[in-house]
Amino acid sequence: MKKKLICALLAGCMAISPATMSFAAETELATEAATEVTSEAASEAASEATSEAGKKTEYPLTISNFNYEKEPVEETFEKAPERVITFWSNSLETMLALGLGDRVISAVGMDEESILPELKDEFDKMIAGKEYNEFTDSNAAMSKEYAIMLEPDFILGWKSSFSDKTIGDVDYWHENGVNTYIALNSNDISEYRTVENEYTDILTLGEIFDVQDKSEEIVNEIKDEVARVKEAVADQEPQKVVVVEFMKDSIWNYDKTMLVGDMVAQMGGELMDLPSDIGAEDLLNADPDVLFIIGDDDKVADFMADESYASLSAVQNGRVFPLDLSDVYTSGIRTIRGLNAIGKGLYPDLYTE
């Protein structure tokens, strides 16, 4: 399906004016010494100010990532990419948040309804003024042949994006001069999916595109929120937490290997140790203090209305909450949303306005 679209966003520059220093001396010798000290201090201040303003990428830049077989690969960027294909919300939204929407030529798995509200203006800029091919159904909606036709110089996706059923492994693209990046928490690239991996993805993209000040700002905001909550609840007994998704014939439990498991730990909760595939009886026996359900408010309402779960402490205390999967699975800039959703469930008093 074709649709008019595009984005444009220019990164701003920051200028640094080093502070000058001087002091009076009683003798000419003291004055000369003071001048030398002042010069050194001013130089040091300028250096520190430049560092605080943000790092600059020096090309060629070599990074480490993975191929579809989860083998480490190194790739070199001679300059910031200009024609980017993205897969799924974490990829596109990170590009938009970094002011790089004008580099995106196609975004698989995203549409106007799925974009974060705060990025809607940047998305609208991106989709205005050029032909944009929209693939929203699955990874397989984009074929290798179509990707080749788009002539990208960078492909940003999940491990599943690079299977033989989609656009092929990264080796093909590297051999043809196209760099790639696989999100570290996507699929089974990492044995343990962590918040730290999300930081790494965002910071690496900042380095690749020479917008490190913006990527560091995003990551620091998330880190500050985690630190705020940890400090506030340091003396509290950890609450027991279970995170589930109701499938057709079973209940999927999100364990400590999943990103949401690390999010719970980061926010001071205690994720209960349950098998990945559980039944209603397992959930009743676990009886967590707080239960998070992957889905929306309707999913929670249906669960709360189910009499078979009425004995759960979380049900009786009204402590069953929804989690948007995109906020807690390969979450990108949505990481702070997932952490805050968990934080609000655990410590509502910390989030009163």
Side-chain angles (χ1 to χ4, degrees), residues 180-199:
T180 62
Y181 188 85
I182 293 178
L184 298 180
N185 282 331
S186 65
N187 310 111
D188 60 349
I189 277 290
S190 299
E191 181 180 1
Y192 285 88
R193 292 83 159 178
T194 65
V195 173
E196 188 66 34
N197 281 347
E198 297 298 331
Y199 297 158

Side-chain angles (χ1 to χ4, degrees), residues 264-278:
V264 169
Q266 291 290 327
M267 300 306 272
E270 179 184 338
L271 192 72
M272 300 187 74
D273 187 13
L274 299 175
S276 297
D277 194 358
I278 64 175

